[in-house]
């Protein structure tokens, strides 16, 4: 991933239009017209050998004739010319190019990229509409209209959708910071754009239209980073399950690509919507609604019908209405007419003056803990102008010195409410035309909050569970044995052995030859009732061929069932080799629920985990959800919660809640199996039966592959890097150096509060020791793909682990430079701990291929400067600021010493 030279793409000083034309309705003519008409302040150079002048400007025959290297080039010439043009531009020093040209072959695209790579010239396209950057007055596109300046960035894979969206947004007076058509995204892709826009000050929300994703780990890393800074909202085309491939397991059959995308978007902390209209509704609420999303909804309206419509919409969206407690009802009784609705929705009656609205808001503020999110709905009346009501309400919603009420509004109507709606929007209050739109937006807000919670989780690939580590060696031996014998499906006993090795409870299973008498004898040994199943390497779904019989009560019944099963299987699959039978005790669990837990490999996102309602009708019921590994307990429970069967597991009537912890532990075990054993290609545990007593697997199926499609290295999200944990002997006690993790938040707060004012000032450049919870969380919830924080911990006097110091780096998306910071407890300064942490950090960044690490420190911070100098850092005063020094350590030579660099450096602040 890289944001290198993207500033030249979106804010260039000069632009060349190659293929510019005066021919009406041509791409070159439209591009030239758009560039001239955009008000771009820099130099614009037309290039076309057919013209001497264009629009009164000199036109150049060749790129090499240009008086200077254009910072940005827009290419709309035949495909065969593109690679050579890219080579010439790169040699001139052009930093970015937009390739409008369509129809490039794979070889031509590669030649274009090869020409651009030596100087890191960035390429947008090919086969794209181009880009618009309204703040830079840049319209390097052949779109039919320009974009208004605004604070939304829109990135699309579809060129046709770009022009349609521009038209749609113009009609609604919606503005943009950037409007980009990616085309075939040969170079600049979604990951690059997310990285660039994440720290763009002009962009308050990022809107994506996606059709496909390449390089899943790059995309997920960029998306998770961007979603921490601002809302990222996605429309992903392709929800249809048509074309789904056949699979050897239920999991493979259920794992539609769209479900995988849903899981990826949720895990990245983004929000998925279903339409372009929803895209803007979501942007409205996510950028204007600053309070936490309440789980319930309270409706305040001046019309009973509007309240009923909102209640219906809430039921459809799964947003519960809040129950009004007695104290709130009593307060409302004091300020509302006797004939008010008396419940939720709160109907304050159509004749309400402005003060009645204000009094109702004050009452809701006093009891806000129970009201949840507020939805205000107003229909115009002839009694009080809507604009007067809006002016009276805004100070009550946003009183000076107090937090704003968590309120969303719907001003229903046209001209009569237009001014009121505009007043609310100017005040930054989320505003919609209809109650249903507002309720749908609130539902989006709640989904977004859940996704943001998943974003903060950073589990390791391996987790201790059930008090013991899994028997990985046993599983690897079973897998290798199958592969060596030419099999890709494990037998049922082998699959259950895999489960046992990962501490997943399974029903005991015996194997016997394909002899009815042997099956009967083994059943008598186990004890009745039993379950009899066919055992065949050639039969994956045993129930489909009559290969499973339940609840057999005695030996005679087992013998007859075995004979009949052999006949059925031989008739259904005459070519199948029959290896024997499996016999297991019939498990009876009162009030149990059948579940499925599985794993499969997605073509783009790699290993995936599935959970849902199980049994033989699993493909018909289709109550399942998917998640990206690695999983920890919160993520496993979140996956369970995304299914309908979760409501059954919660208990109902006389059925007690099921043991959700046992189900979550099984999901985590599957996650670790995928990390440990790369050969796993598909896995089914179906059914896993669970009740209040626990969970047990009755059947399991595992497919393996010598291609090693699983493994932590193929996870789309980098797991917690537990391999970087090390313990050394230091001052007579064990000192642990390890990457920080979210669970360290409380210890990290205690560590920061232990620092004296001077230590904080020297490293943070200010004297504050306390932090907002969100800021603290950001320090411990990191993306290990691009950021690292090593903490040093040791047992305290009470035996509890405490944090003694932290060293942190934040690497740019190109992995060229990393900013570092370090801080240790005051009582540990001068002990050598700082050097130990820095040595750990340097070793890590060098192994990661980072070229240099840097820091800006106060000139008076002599201790930090001294440590850095002993480690080989170059210490120089900051140009133009003698109060600070720049510390730089080159870890390895630059692979592109002559390559261009971005014009600006985007600084991030963290502990120094």
């Amino acid at each position: 991933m890289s944001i290198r030279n993207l500033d030249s793409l979106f804010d260039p000083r000069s632009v060349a239009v190659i293929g510019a034309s005066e021919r009406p309705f041509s791409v070159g003519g439209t591009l030239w017209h758009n560039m001239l008409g955009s008000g771009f302040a820099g130099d614009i150079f037309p290039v076309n050998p057919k013209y001497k002048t264009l629009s009164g400007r000199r036109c150049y025959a060749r790129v090499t004739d240009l008086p200077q290297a254009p910072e940005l080039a827009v290419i709309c010439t035949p495909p065969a010319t593109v690679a050579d043009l890219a080579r010439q531009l790169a040699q001139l020093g052009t930093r970015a190019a937009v390739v409008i040209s369509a129809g490039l072959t794979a070889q031509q695209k590669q030649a274009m990229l090869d020409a651009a790579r030596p100087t890191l010239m960035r390429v947008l396209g090919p086969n794209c509409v181009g880009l618009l950057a309204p703040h830079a007055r840049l319209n390097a596109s052949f779109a039919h209209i320009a974009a208004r300046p605004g604070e939304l960035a829109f990135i699309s894979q579809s060129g046709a959708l770009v022009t349609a969206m521009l038209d749609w947004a113009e009609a609604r007076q919606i503005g943009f910071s950037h409007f980009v058509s990616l085309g075939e995204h040969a170079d600049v892709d979604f990951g690059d754009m997310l990285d660039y826009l994440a720290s763009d000050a002009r962009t308050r929300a990022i809107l994506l239209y996606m059709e496909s994703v390449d390089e899943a780990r790059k995309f997920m890393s960029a998306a998770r980073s961007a979603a921490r800074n601002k809302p990222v909202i996605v429309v992903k085309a392709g929800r249809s399950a048509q074309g789904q491939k056949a699979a050897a397991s239920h999991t493979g059959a259920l794992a539609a690509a769209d479900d995988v995308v849903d899981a990826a978007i949720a895990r990245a902390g983004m929000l998925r919507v279903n339409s372009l209209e929803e895209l803007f509704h979501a942007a409205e609420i996510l950028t204007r609604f600053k309070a936490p999303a309440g789980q319930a909804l309270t409706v305040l309206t001046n019309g009973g019908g509007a309240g009923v419509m909102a209640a219906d919409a809430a039921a459809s969206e799964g947003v519960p209405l809040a129950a009004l407690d007695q104290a709130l009802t009593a307060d409302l009784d004091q300020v509302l007419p006797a004939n008010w609705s008396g419940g939720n929705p709160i109907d304050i009656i159509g004749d309400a003056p402005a003060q009645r609205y204000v009094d109702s808001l004050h009452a809701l503020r006093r009891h806000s803990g129970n009201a949840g999110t507020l939805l205000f709905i107003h229909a115009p009346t002839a009694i009080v102008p809507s604009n007067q009501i809006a002016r009276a309400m805004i100070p009550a919603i946003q009183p000076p010195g107090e937090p704003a009420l968590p309120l969303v509004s719907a001003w229903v109507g046209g001209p009569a409410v237009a001014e009121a709606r505009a007043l609310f929007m100017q005040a930054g209050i989320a505003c919609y035309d209809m109650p249903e739109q507002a309720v749908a937006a609130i539902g989006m807000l709640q989904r977004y909050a859940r996704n943001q919670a998943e974003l903060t989780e950073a589990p390791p690939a391996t987790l201790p569970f059930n008090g013991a580590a899994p028997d990985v060696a046993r599983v690897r031996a079973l897998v290798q044995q199958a592969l060596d014998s030419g099999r890709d499906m494990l037998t049922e006993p082998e699959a259950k052995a895999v489960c046992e090795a990962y501490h997943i409870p399974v029903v005991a299973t015996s194997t016997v030859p394909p002899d009815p008498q042997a099956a009967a004898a083994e059943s008598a040994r186990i004890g009745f009732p039993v379950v009899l199943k066919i055992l065949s390497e050639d039969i994956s779904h045993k129930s489909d061929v009559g290969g499973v019989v339940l609840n057999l009560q005695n030996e005679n019944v087992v013998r007859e069932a075995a004979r009949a099963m052999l006949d059925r299987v031989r008739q259904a699959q005459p070519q199948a080799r029959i290896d024997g039978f499996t016999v297991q005790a019939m498990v009876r669990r009162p009030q149990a629920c059948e579940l499925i837990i599985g794993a499969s490999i997605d073509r783009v996102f790699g290993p995936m985990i599935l959970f849902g309602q199980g049994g033989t009708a699993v493909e018909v019921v289709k109550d399942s959800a998917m998640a990206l590994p690695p999983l920890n307990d919160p993520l496993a429970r979140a996956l369970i919660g995304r299914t309908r069967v979760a409501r059954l597991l919660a208990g109902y009537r006389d059925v007690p809640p099921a043991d959700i912890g046992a189900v979550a532990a099984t999901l985590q075990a599957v996650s670790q199996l995928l990390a440990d054993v790369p050969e796993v290609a598909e896995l089914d545990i179906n059914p896993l039966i669970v009740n209040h007593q626990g969970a047990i697997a009755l059947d399991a199926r595992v497919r393996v592959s010598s291609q090693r499609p699983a493994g932590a290295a193929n996870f789309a999200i980098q797991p917690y890097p537990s391999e970087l944990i090390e313990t050394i002997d230091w001052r007579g006690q064990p000192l642990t150096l390890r990457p920080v993790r979210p669970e360290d938040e409380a210890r990290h707060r205690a560590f920061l509060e232990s620092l004296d004012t001077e230590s904080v000032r020297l490293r943070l450049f200010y004297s504050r020791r306390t932090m907002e919870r969100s800021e603290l969380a950001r320090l411990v919830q990191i993306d290990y793909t691009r950021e690292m924080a090593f903490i040093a911990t040791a047992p305290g006097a009470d035996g509890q682990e405490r944090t003694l110091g932290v060293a942190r780096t934040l690497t740019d998306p190109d992995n060229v430079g990393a900013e570092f910071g370090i801080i240790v407890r005051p009582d540990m300064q001068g002990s050598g701990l700082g050097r130990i942490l820095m040595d750990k950090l340097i070793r890590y960044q060098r192994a990661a291929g980072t070229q240099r690490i840097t820091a800006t420190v106060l000139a008076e911070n002599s201790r930090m400067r001294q440590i850095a100098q002993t480690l080989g850092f170059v210490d120089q005063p900051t140009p133009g600021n003698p109060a600070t020094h720049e510390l730089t350590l080159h870890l390895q030579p630059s692979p592109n010493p002559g390559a261009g660099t971005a014009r600006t450096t985007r600084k991030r602040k963290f502990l120094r």
Side-chain angles (χ1 to χ4, degrees):
M1 65 191 69
S2 176
I3 59 171
R4 190 65 59 83
N5 290 330
L6 290 189
D7 280 325
S8 297
L9 190 64
F10 297 110
D11 190 15
R13 297 185 181 94
S14 57
V15 179
V17 180
I18 305 169
S21 169
E22 61 183 14
R23 185 160 51 94
F25 309 115
S26 66
V27 172
T30 305
L31 263 164
W32 178 243
H33 171 78
N34 285 349
M35 274 299 308
L36 285 182
S38 65
F40 180 69
D43 293 324
I44 307 175
F45 306 112
V47 179
N48 191 327
K50 296 179 181 178
Y51 303 99
K52 297 295 184 182
T53 61
L54 266 177
S55 305
R57 295 171 182 254
R58 178 183 173 184
C59 187
Y60 299 88
R62 292 172 295 277
V63 166
T64 52
D65 294 337
L66 290 171
Q68 66 185 64
E71 191 167 1
L72 171 65
V74 186
I75 301 174
C76 50
T77 57
T81 67
V82 171
D84 192 49
L85 284 169
R87 178 184 58 77
Q88 294 176 40
L89 289 164
Q91 290 176 350
L92 283 175
T94 298
R95 295 294 183 228
V98 180
V99 179
I100 306 293
S101 312
L104 274 72
T105 66
Q107 293 78 9
Q108 287 170 335
K109 279 192 287 188
Q110 189 58 53
M112 172 190 72
L113 294 174
D114 291 342
R117 184 172 293 112
T119 59
L120 289 180
M121 185 178 79
R122 305 309 306 275
V123 178
L124 179 67
N127 189 20
C128 69
V129 172
L131 68 92
L132 299 95
H135 293 286
R137 299 193 174 203
L138 176 68
N139 184 350
S141 78
F142 63 90
H144 63 299
I145 56 174
R148 290 173 175 262
E151 297 179 304
L152 301 178
F154 182 75
I155 315 299
S156 173
Q157 269 180 283
S158 165
L161 193 63
V162 165
T163 54
M165 176 62 78
L166 270 175
D167 210 50
W168 190 92
E170 175 62 22
R172 290 155 181 80
Q173 298 185 1
I174 296 170
F176 298 91
S177 62
H178 300 79
F179 208 101
V180 182
S181 167
L182 290 179
E184 296 177 29
H185 49 89
D187 174 26
V188 177
D189 60 11
F190 280 115
D192 299 325
M193 288 305 309
L194 285 166
D195 270 323
Y196 180 82
L197 294 169
S199 55
D200 179 69
R202 293 191 176 97
T203 301
R204 63 181 170 91
I206 304 170
L207 315 181
L208 306 179
Y209 172 81
M210 297 195 318
E211 294 174 353
S212 62
V213 174
D214 299 323
E215 298 185 62
R217 182 170 281 195
K218 170 187 175 179
F219 171 76
M220 290 299 292
S221 177
R224 284 161 62 83
S225 177
R228 292 181 188 275
N229 290 342
K230 58 192 68 173
V232 181
I233 309 160
V234 181
V235 173
K236 169 64 173 69
R239 283 188 173 274
S240 169
Q242 293 180 8
Q244 187 174 307
K245 63 180 178 61
S249 68
H250 294 294
T251 298
L254 290 170
D258 194 64
D259 297 328
V260 176
V261 172
D262 266 346
I265 289 172
R267 186 67 179 276
M270 302 184 292
L271 175 67
R272 183 176 187 177
V273 295
N274 298 322
S275 68
L276 299 177
E277 188 169 19
E278 283 188 1
L279 194 72
F280 288 100
H281 289 165
E284 171 76 7
I285 197 164
L286 292 180
T287 56
R288 294 184 183 272
F289 192 92
K290 303 303 182 185
Q295 292 304 305
L297 175 66
T298 297
V299 180
L300 177 70
T301 179
N302 71 335
V308 172
M309 292 172 65
D312 288 346
S316 178
E317 289 286 336
V319 178
L321 293 182
L324 304 186
D325 61 27
Q326 291 183 351
L328 174 56
T329 302
D331 261 13
L332 291 170
D333 283 337
Q334 298 299 311
V335 298
L336 298 180
N339 62 334
W340 78 280
S341 60
N344 187 10
I346 301 169
D347 180 3
I348 67 175
I349 313 304
D351 64 353
Q355 191 58 43
R356 192 183 298 171
Y357 293 86
V358 173
D359 291 341
S360 301
L361 291 174
H362 288 328
L364 288 166
R365 179 179 291 278
R366 289 192 292 271
H367 302 275
S368 59
N370 300 320
T373 301
L374 306 180
L375 170 57
F376 167 70
I377 308 172
H378 176 82
T381 70
I383 299 172
V384 184
S386 298
N387 57 3
Q388 290 185 18
I389 294 169
R391 288 191 178 93
M393 290 181 66
I394 290 170
I397 296 170
Q398 302 172 331
E402 294 187 48
L405 280 172
L407 184 140
V408 179
S409 66
W411 294 90
V412 183
V417 297
E419 186 180 351
R421 189 181 292 134
L423 289 168
F424 262 45
M425 293 179 69
Q426 289 167 14
I429 301 170
C431 197
Y432 296 90
D433 295 342
M434 294 294 171
E436 298 89 346
Q437 294 172 345
V439 172
I442 291 168
M444 295 176 197
L445 192 70
Q446 294 182 352
R447 293 201 306 275
Y448 180 70
R450 290 192 291 270
N451 294 355
Q452 284 282 300
E454 292 196 24
L455 172 62
T456 65
E457 299 294 338
T462 58
L463 283 166
F465 51 89
N466 291 345
D471 190 346
V472 182
R474 181 186 180 196
V475 173
R476 286 177 176 160
L478 286 169
V479 168
Q480 195 59 51
Q481 177 181 315
L483 292 173
D484 288 346
S485 63
R487 291 186 289 125
D488 66 352
M489 292 296 298
L490 302 188
T491 64
E492 180 188 351
E494 289 172 337
K496 286 181 175 177
V498 169
C499 292
E500 284 184 317
Y502 276 77
H503 308 295
I504 299 170
V506 296
V507 61
T509 302
S510 297
T511 302
V512 299
D515 175 11
Q517 181 56 42
E522 183 61 18
S523 298
R525 188 192 69 79
I526 290 174
F528 297 99
V530 298
V531 176
L532 184 71
K533 302 179 185 180
I534 201 71
L535 180 63
S536 170
E537 295 178 6
D538 301 320
I539 299 173
S540 179
H541 298 292
K542 297 179 282 291
S543 297
D544 293 350
V545 296
V548 179
V549 183
L550 308 176
N551 202 27
L552 302 176
Q553 299 290 334
N554 56 57
E555 290 184 65
N556 289 333
V557 173
V558 171
R559 271 190 293 271
E560 290 304 315
R563 292 191 186 100
M565 185 180 293
L566 289 172
D567 291 341
R568 286 194 302 272
V569 171
R570 285 166 179 158
Q571 185 174 359
Q573 285 193 222
Q575 305 302 320
R577 184 180 67 187
I578 307 301
D579 300 310
F581 299 104
T582 62
V583 185
Q584 64 189 50
M586 181 77 186
V587 176
R588 298 184 184 275
R589 288 273 177 100
Q591 301 170 319
C593 190
E594 290 190 340
L595 305 174
I596 180 172
I597 289 178
S600 62
I601 310 299
D602 181 71
R603 180 182 60 83
V604 175
F605 289 95
M608 302 293 301
I609 296 174
L610 176 137
F611 169 83
Q613 188 168 354
T616 55
V618 62
E619 285 98 348
V620 177
V621 175
K622 290 187 177 178
D623 175 25
S624 61
M626 305 197 75
L628 277 67
L631 298 183
N632 58 8
D633 187 68
L635 289 171
R637 290 174 184 267
L639 172 58
I640 295 167
R642 289 201 292 272
T643 60
R644 297 189 302 274
V645 76
R647 301 178 211 167
L648 295 177
L649 298 177
Y652 56 95
R653 293 189 177 180
D654 62 338
V655 178
D659 186 353
I660 299 295
V663 181
T666 304
L667 286 166
Q668 292 174 79
V670 170
S671 174
Q672 182 163 344
L673 172 65
L674 290 171
D676 292 341
V677 186
E679 291 83 2
V680 173
E682 284 182 16
L683 176 144
D684 263 1
I685 300 172
N686 181 35
L688 178 80
I689 62 170
V690 60
N691 66 357
H692 61 283
Q693 298 172 316
I696 187 169
L698 301 190
D699 201 359
R701 185 179 295 107
V702 177
R703 185 169 71 85
V704 294
S705 170
S706 59
Q707 300 299 309
R708 298 167 64 88
N714 290 322
F715 285 5
I717 296 175
Q718 182 171 331
Y720 176 81
S722 53
E723 70 278 4
L724 297 176
I725 300 174
E726 63 176 309
T727 300
I728 63 174
D729 183 68
W730 179 68
R731 303 173 72 180
Q733 66 173 348
L735 179 72
T736 299
L737 305 172
R738 63 170 175 81
V740 73
R741 52 184 177 232
E743 295 83 357
D744 291 317
E745 184 177 317
R747 275 190 295 269
H748 216 67
R749 179 180 293 279
F751 165 70
L752 292 174
E753 291 174 349
S754 76
L755 303 176
D756 59 72
T757 303
E758 182 65 6
S759 295
V760 173
R761 187 185 69 82
L762 286 174
R763 289 154 182 84
L764 299 180
F765 301 176
Y766 61 85
S767 58
R768 181 168 61 96
R769 287 190 302 159
T770 60
M771 270 188 182
E772 295 294 331
R773 195 267 167 186
S774 59
E775 189 176 356
L776 180 65
R778 180 65 189 87
L779 292 176
V780 297
Q781 299 165 3
I782 66 174
D783 179 354
Y784 303 103
T785 304
R786 59 181 65 206
E787 189 175 355
M788 181 52 68
F790 288 114
I791 61 172
T793 68
D798 57 358
Q800 298 297 311
E801 186 182 37
R802 61 176 184 157
T803 299
L804 306 181
V806 58
R808 184 180 300 268
T809 52
L810 190 61
T811 307
D812 67 38
D814 303 294
N815 197 30
V816 172
E819 292 181 71
F820 80 89
I822 182 170
I823 192 167
V824 299
R825 286 170 57 104
D827 55 335
M828 297 295 158
Q829 292 174 9
S831 66
L833 181 60
R835 185 186 176 100
I836 291 172
L837 281 165
M838 278 303 303
D839 179 68
K840 175 81 170 173
L841 204 60
I842 291 168
R843 284 187 282 127
Y844 168 76
Q845 295 294 162
R846 182 172 280 125
T850 309
Q851 294 177 35
R852 62 178 179 271
I853 58 175
T854 62
T856 302
V857 301
L858 290 174
E860 61 191 277
N861 190 354
S862 56
R863 179 174 285 125
M864 181 67 246
R865 292 172 57 197
Q866 183 178 3
I867 292 173
Q869 289 169 16
T870 61
L871 290 168
F873 281 79
V874 176
D875 181 350
Q876 293 179 322
T878 304
N881 184 9
T884 63
H885 275 226
E886 300 292 330
L887 305 177
T888 304
L889 178 65
H890 292 276
L891 303 177
Q892 43 221 337
S894 169
N896 291 298
T901 58
R903 262 201 332 262
T904 60
T905 301
R906 299 169 179 229
K907 292 281 187 179
R908 297 172 172 92
K909 183 188 73 178
F910 52 83
L911 294 179
R912 284 186 169 78

